[in-house]
Structures are given as structure tokens and as C-alpha cells.
Amino acid sequence: MTRHLVLAAGLACILSSALGTTALSAQQPAQQPAPPQAQQPQAQPQVQAPPQAQPTQSGNPDDSSFKITTSVNEVNLIFTVTDRHGAFIPNLKQSDFALLDDQKAPARVTSFTQQTNLPLRVGILIDASTSIRSRFQFEQQSANEFLLQALRAKSDRAFVMGFDSTPTVTQDWTNNLDALQTGVSKLRPGGGTALFDAVYTACRDKLLDQSRGQEPVRRAMILVSDGADNQSRAYIDDAIKMCQRAETIIYSISTNWTPSRGKGDDILMKMSNETGGRAFFPPSVDEISLGFTSIEEELRSQYALTYTPADFRADGAFRTIYLFANDRRYSVRTKKGYFSPKQ
């Protein structure tokens, strides 16, 4: 324990020196995506940042005067800071954090803000397989409550996808709450479970598409499932890596209310952790809405920074991110890495 604290303190000093007054916030690094037919073991944790240049913004997302256009070698990073009880920590400064990109301190930090109003791009993925038939109505009700609470008509967009043996989009991108709720109501349980295929497809066809836009946004997937998968052609690593390419955070809500955790719970935890999100395990079907409420709160309680990596190469390679708070009482959660653009 003593050795760990000494090493952590040493690293903080090195980074503070390298960054001057531009230290940054923390999360673990991420891992490279792979095509859906070949599973690869998870390497050490990494965090994903934007694979390509995107604008960053502070203040009102609808006010173009606050937009910052980033160049190809700049990385946008959104992260959450909590204490050991899970409470969000506001009002921290750039100097409260330290960052490593590809094991090096960044060349410079171009912006640091406490972002609470970035537009949301949210995919609602609901398990509609036979295994969750008895809990399906609660899933639908809670998803509709989340849409009503979390989405702001002018700036936010969402889509609805149900999945059993195949994924089906019942409502494409829209800010129309009635249309989104209709999309949730259209879902009917039945069939096997292709969870990994659904996550892979949603990121590849919907959220990766959105990452090419000009507006800075938060991309998130709300995954409601028991974590079981018995029909996917893709592997879990494939799904995670596609989310990393799409710069999408997975928030998973387990519908497994048995007394003990099972394999499905481990799957949901892994997918959330590797993308910088969280997994929620409501103790009963009646409390599933609490998970949605926690997600909505977190999406509006995050920091954002833009930085230029040291020794940057536009070679399409995966670069790991390690971000942490200098105050070790706080935990930082963010993407674990990103793919540099390929020229």
C-alpha cells in the first residue's frame, strides 16, 4: 500500500512538471477494436478518445460563439469525477488532474471546462428476448421515463433498438419524445439473445455515424439486459472495440434480480468499464428506474477537456489514456483510449 502511494505521488509530480499548470482528470486506458469474427483477449485497461478531430465547446451548446474547432491531432475527453461514495464532485480545476496519453504527458491542453449542457446522442438498447419476458414491461416503462427526464427537445437526439436473435431499430434518430416512446412500445419479447451483435451494430451503424458530425456531443448507449448472449456472431471484444471507435460510453442496467451475480452481470460490467460507463444492478424490478435516473444525472455532471498529444502520429493506431485526480479520494471515469485518425 505504501509503495503504491509513493508511486502514485511520484507520477503526479512528473505529470505536473510536464504539464505545468495543465494537469488533467482520470480514467483507465482502453483497448483496440477488432472485426466481429475474431475474439481477442482484453489487454490492460485503456481509454478511448476521439478517433478524429471534433469540435469542443463550453457553455451553451446552441451558441456557436462558444465552439472550439479542434485540429486532427487534438483529442476531446469527457469524464466524470466521484468520491468513494459515488457522489459527483463539481468545481474542480485543470490543475487537479494528471493525464498520460500513450504513456506520455500531453504537449498542451487547449481547453478545460465543466460541461453540463453538451447535447446528448443516446442509443436505447432493450433486450427483447424470451429470457426477460416477465420483466419486459418494467423495462419499457423505465426507458420511457428516462426519455422524458433526460432528453431536451432542441439539442438532444436518441434512437430505440430492440434485440432478440437480431437487432431491430424501431425508432431512428429523433428529438420527438412521442416517436421515441412509440418506438419503445413497439418492442415485443420473444426469441434468442444476440446482445453482442446488437451493441456492435448500434455503434457501427448509428453512433459511429454520429461521431462524424460537426457538433460536440456526448454519445452514450443505455443497455437494458440480463447480459445473456446465445446467438451473436460477434464476440464481446468486438462489441467493445466498435464502441471505442464510435466514442460511445455504455451504461448498462441489469435485469437479473436473482440473489447471486451470474455471467451476464460480469458481461455488462466489462462492457461498461471498458468504455468508461457504469453498470447498474437494481435490487428489484420495481427499482429499475433508479438506474435510468442515475445515468441521466451523470450525463449532466461531467468535465471536458481538449489536448494535443505528445509524439502524435496519424497512423490509425490505438493510443491509451490514463487520467487521474491528484486528490486520491476522488475517482475519475472516462474512456480508456482512442484510435488516431489515419492519413
Side-chain angles (χ1 to χ4, degrees):
M1 182 68 177
T2 302
R3 182 186 177 193
H4 176 72
L5 292 174
V6 170
L7 289 175
L11 178 56
C13 291
I14 293 171
L15 292 175
S16 296
S17 173
L19 294 175
T21 59
T22 60
L24 312 160
S25 80
Q27 186 162 359
Q28 310 145 321
Q31 186 179 339
Q32 283 193 347
Q37 295 292 340
Q39 183 176 14
Q40 300 176 0
Q42 292 294 107
Q44 295 178 349
Q46 300 169 327
V47 180
Q48 175 179 354
Q52 62 179 23
Q54 296 183 14
T56 296
Q57 156 183 347
S58 67
N60 189 334
D62 296 324
D63 186 346
S64 60
S65 66
F66 286 94
K67 294 178 184 176
I68 301 174
T69 303
T70 62
S71 61
V72 70
N73 64 337
E74 287 187 324
V75 174
N76 299 316
L77 195 60
I78 295 174
F79 55 95
T80 303
V81 185
T82 59
D83 62 17
R84 60 193 61 183
H85 303 293
F88 297 110
I89 305 300
N91 305 320
L92 295 177
K93 301 183 294 295
Q94 181 178 311
S95 57
D96 292 322
F97 302 95
L99 169 72
L100 290 177
D101 179 298
D102 201 28
Q103 301 183 0
K104 302 178 185 68
R108 67 190 182 103
V109 176
T110 53
S111 70
F112 177 90
T113 54
Q114 184 174 357
Q115 297 279 7
T116 57
N117 292 312
L118 278 182
L120 300 180
R121 296 296 179 264
V122 180
I124 308 292
L125 269 67
I126 298 179
D127 190 334
S129 62
T130 302
S131 65
I132 53 80
R133 183 181 294 273
S134 62
R135 296 154 281 178
F136 189 69
Q137 185 177 359
F138 290 92
E139 290 184 0
Q140 290 178 304
Q141 291 174 349
S142 299
N144 281 330
E145 289 176 14
F146 171 81
L147 290 168
L148 286 171
Q149 293 174 9
L151 294 190
R152 300 171 183 174
K154 289 186 177 180
S155 58
D156 298 339
R157 301 287 185 275
F159 71 89
V160 178
M161 172 185 284
F163 62 92
D164 44 37
S165 55
T166 57
T168 303
V169 175
T170 54
Q171 177 56 56
D172 212 336
W173 289 111
T174 184
N175 61 356
N176 186 316
L177 290 175
D178 289 338
L180 288 166
Q181 290 181 311
T182 299
V184 172
S185 300
K186 285 180 181 177
L187 298 172
R188 296 290 182 270
T193 312
L195 169 63
F196 306 147
D197 285 354
V199 172
Y200 184 96
T201 300
C203 287
R204 182 193 63 191
D205 297 349
K206 296 296 179 185
L207 290 152
L208 183 63
D209 232 13
Q210 289 293 313
S211 73
R212 302 298 183 248
Q214 296 303 309
E215 295 298 323
V217 296
R218 286 193 182 100
R219 284 175 294 279
M221 176 186 298
I222 314 300
L223 175 61
V224 186
S225 174
D226 59 7
D229 189 304
N230 55 26
Q231 294 208 345
S232 284
R233 291 179 297 172
Y235 293 101
I236 184 172
D237 288 349
D238 304 325
I240 290 171
K241 291 169 185 177
M242 185 53 68
C243 283
Q244 291 172 337
R245 286 196 181 277
E247 302 168 36
T248 297
I249 297 172
I250 297 178
Y251 293 100
S252 55
I253 300 178
S254 175
T255 58
N256 171 27
W257 292 291
T258 58
S260 59
R261 294 281 175 87
K263 181 180 179 181
D265 293 322
D266 294 337
I267 286 172
L268 296 178
M269 182 73 78
K270 180 177 182 179
M271 297 179 82
S272 296
N273 288 346
E274 291 296 325
T275 57
R278 293 174 65 190
F280 297 86
F281 301 94
S284 70
V285 66
D286 298 320
E287 298 183 44
I288 187 173
S289 61
L290 295 178
F292 282 99
T293 301
S294 297
I295 292 169
E296 191 271 336
E297 181 184 4
E298 176 160 332
L299 288 172
R300 302 295 183 186
S301 305
Q302 295 174 314
Y303 294 86
L305 64 88
T306 303
Y307 67 91
T308 302
D311 190 27
F312 182 82
R313 293 180 297 277
D315 55 4
F318 187 80
R319 297 172 66 95
T320 61
I321 292 175
Y322 178 54
L323 179 64
F324 69 90
N326 293 326
D327 188 330
R328 305 308 284 174
R329 295 174 301 172
Y330 301 150
S331 297
V332 181
R333 193 166 59 253
T334 188
K335 299 176 290 185
K336 296 183 177 181
Y338 64 98
F339 291 90
S340 65
K342 194 170 185 178
Q343 292 184 343

